[in-house]
Amino acid sequence: RQAPYNAKGGGKTDDTEAIQKALNDHPNGDYIIYLPHGIYKITNTLTWPEGKKPEDSFKRTILQGQSMGGTIIKLEDNCQGFDNADFPAPVIMTGEGPKVKQRNSIRALPLRTGKGNAGAIGIRFNAGIQGTINNVKIHSGDSAGLYGVDMGFTENIGPLLLKNVEVNGFDVGVLTGGAMNGMTLEHVTLGGQRKYGYVNDGQTVAVRALRFKGSVPAVYNRGKDASMVLVDG
């Protein structure tokens, strides 16, 4: 919210450029990009910063809100680039694969994907060795969108942790994928999905205290390498 970025956080001004510049200015350094209380309207994908070398890109970056209820990133309704399910786009993208992206985290940061955004993916999350989505709520305003959290779009994602995450709407609440590294989900709450609550596509996962409310299958564990331990469900 302060200079040189001057994000407004009022819910009306487009804050995409301000937040993206703050990310771009702090690659691969365990920096925390901190968003005080407010509603931050965005109109394009927020991407993790590229480093000076390819091996320094898309890692060791943390995006953190002041609190789970007071800091919100909100995608504009009917936003160009997010309105076509055949060409999906993430609201937040933490890096392309396939190399491991250490220490990426998103914390205390509710995310709203608005209405009329059929191609929206809440978070495309790539992290490994030490990475987490923690205390995050992802909400589609009209249940539209493909995934709340997509962790199956490339190889070598994980090990990582999702904890205290809530997803409302989308075709699938959470997708995990790949055949290595492992992922842990704890206290994840899903509801309002149109196809599945949680899909695991070939990954090794440990899931504790998964909660689901809806009329579609809660869990779809598929693929010859898929392995799931589900406790306290």
Side-chain angles (χ1 to χ4, degrees):
R1 301 277 291 270
Q2 299 178 7
Y5 305 111
N6 299 314
K8 301 301 181 186
K12 296 181 179 180
T13 302
D14 187 352
D15 283 322
T16 310
E17 185 176 348
I19 299 172
Q20 188 61 60
K21 180 169 174 45
L23 286 164
N24 291 345
D25 285 352
H26 298 90
N28 189 31
D30 294 325
Y31 294 103
I32 297 174
I33 308 304
Y34 178 74
L35 299 178
H37 283 161
I39 299 175
Y40 297 83
K41 174 184 170 182
I42 67 165
T43 56
N44 203 350
T45 300
L46 296 174
T47 61
W48 258 220
E50 295 187 38
K52 293 181 179 179
K53 307 177 198 175
E55 59 268 27
D56 293 335
S57 295
F58 310 120
K59 61 184 181 182
R60 300 187 185 279
T61 301
I62 300 164
L63 187 63
Q64 178 165 335
Q66 184 172 347
S67 73
M68 194 171 180
T71 303
I72 297 168
I73 287 182
K74 185 180 185 303
L75 181 66
E76 183 178 56
D77 292 346
N78 303 301
C79 189
Q80 185 177 3
F82 295 87
D83 53 356
N84 189 339
D86 292 329
F87 299 94
V91 179
I92 298 176
M93 173 76 167
T94 68
E96 299 286 351
K99 292 186 178 181
V100 175
K101 309 301 180 186
Q102 298 96 332
R103 212 170 148 72
N104 288 334
S105 294
I106 299 172
R107 305 189 301 218
L109 196 63
L111 175 63
R112 298 176 184 172
T113 61
K115 297 180 180 180
N117 294 316
I121 296 169
I123 300 173
R124 253 186 179 159
F125 191 62
N126 189 347
I129 303 176
Q130 187 179 14
T132 181
I133 300 178
N134 189 12
N135 293 329
V136 170
K137 293 183 179 181
I138 304 169
H139 179 80
S140 169
D142 56 4
S143 295
L146 278 75
Y147 306 109
V149 180
D150 177 6
M151 299 184 295
F153 64 95
T154 188
E155 294 295 324
N156 289 328
I157 300 177
L160 56 79
L161 171 68
L162 263 66
K163 185 173 183 180
N164 298 333
V165 172
E166 181 179 320
V167 181
N168 293 296
F170 303 93
D171 288 349
V172 175
V174 175
L175 171 69
T176 54
M180 58 191 303
N181 295 337
M183 301 179 185
T184 302
L185 285 67
E186 184 174 21
H187 295 291
V188 172
T189 300
L190 307 172
Q193 281 75 49
R194 301 188 295 184
K195 294 183 178 179
Y196 300 99
Y198 168 42
V199 173
N200 177 46
D201 189 8
Q203 181 60 260
T204 299
V205 295
V207 184
R208 177 172 177 252
L210 179 70
R211 301 290 184 262
F212 173 76
K213 184 176 182 180
S215 58
V216 300
V219 176
Y220 183 20
N221 191 42
R222 68 190 183 196
K224 66 182 182 66
D225 296 314
S227 176
M228 177 182 293
V229 176
L230 180 62
V231 297
D232 296 338

